[in-house]
């Protein structure tokens, strides 16, 4: 059910669309739609990624219950991967608050050099995130401003997905 919605996002952005869910202190990729470009970001289902320095991870942390979000912020290890990685708990907590306030997350080479992404939460009727939906692209091809232009498209897709995806367990 998710793949047709994600294919529409990829057709509009010409970049891959990725979906992940919260799994302990990681994000777990569950769906991925490849874009038409030769060079692109992948998120193969079954692979894991960090919560602290990716757009998907930030959304998954920001849109949990306030108690769970605070718990994750305090428990996550914050090693540096690039100069853009947030490595201090207070700074991470401030970033999570910004994500929650604006309703989407961005990552600008925070986990790996050359990768940028924008992400929105797929929020269930209980107000808790079911999944995170992302468009990711190589930094040489995509500015952060252009990625932010995809937020309305991603939000529409997330609302559609929220109606068909099961709640988290």
């Amino acid at each position: 059910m998710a793949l047709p919605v994600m294919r529409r996002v990829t057709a509009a952005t010409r970049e891959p669309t990725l979906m992940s869910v919260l799994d302990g202190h990681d994000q777990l990729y569950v769906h991925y739609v490849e874009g038409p470009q030769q060079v692109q970001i992948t998120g193969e289902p079954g692979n894991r990624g960090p919560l602290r320095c990716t757009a998907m991870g930030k959304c998954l942390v920001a849109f949990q219950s306030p108690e769970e979000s605070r718990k994750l912020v305090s428990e996550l290890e914050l090693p540096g991967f690039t100069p853009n990685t947030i490595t201090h708990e207070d700074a991470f907590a401030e970033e999570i608050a910004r994500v929650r306030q604006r309703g989407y997350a961005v990552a600008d080479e925070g986990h790996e050099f050359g990768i940028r992404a924008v992400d929105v939460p797929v929020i269930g009727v209980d107000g808790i995130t079911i999944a995170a939906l992302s468009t990711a692209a190589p930094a040489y091809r995509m500015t952060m401003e252009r990625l932010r232009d995809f937020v309305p498209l991603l939000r529409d897709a997330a609302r559609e997905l929220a109606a068909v995806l099961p709640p988290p367990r």
Side-chain angles (χ1 to χ4, degrees):
M1 293 194 179
L3 290 177
V5 174
M6 293 173 66
R7 283 186 189 110
R8 286 197 311 268
V9 172
T10 292
T13 64
R14 298 190 42 79
E15 299 294 348
T17 304
L18 306 93
M19 183 187 293
S20 68
V21 296
L22 182 66
D23 188 26
H25 286 178
D26 296 317
Q27 62 177 341
L28 175 66
Y29 291 98
V30 293
H31 293 294
Y32 164 72
V33 174
E34 189 173 287
Q37 310 281 359
Q38 187 168 355
V39 175
Q40 61 186 298
I41 312 309
T42 61
E44 295 294 326
N47 286 349
R48 294 177 175 280
L51 295 174
R52 63 196 171 276
C53 56
T54 62
M56 293 181 115
K58 291 173 190 177
C59 264
L60 289 169
V61 171
F63 295 98
Q64 296 302 308
S65 69
E67 298 79 24
E68 181 64 17
S69 183
R70 279 192 296 276
K71 181 179 176 209
L72 286 166
V73 166
S74 70
E75 291 178 355
L76 291 176
E77 294 180 19
L78 299 169
F81 293 104
T82 75
N84 292 352
T85 306
I86 297 171
T87 57
H88 299 286
E89 185 179 326
D90 290 343
F92 184 60
E94 290 170 8
E95 175 68 2
I96 294 304
R98 281 190 295 275
V99 169
R100 195 185 252 310
Q101 187 272 330
R102 71 179 173 236
Y104 68 91
V106 295
D108 188 2
E109 302 183 88
H111 181 229
E112 292 185 40
F113 288 108
I115 297 177
R116 291 183 173 144
V118 64
D119 196 277
V120 300
V122 179
I123 299 176
V125 295
D126 58 0
I128 303 300
T129 299
I130 299 169
L133 187 67
S134 181
T135 294
Y140 76 86
R141 188 169 63 221
M142 187 69 62
T143 65
M144 289 307 299
E145 292 75 22
R146 185 161 171 232
L147 271 174
R148 285 184 181 95
D149 289 343
F150 298 142
V151 169
L153 173 70
L154 286 165
R155 282 184 174 151
D156 288 345
R159 279 190 289 276
E160 192 173 341
L161 290 167
V164 297
L165 291 176
R169 293 180 182 181

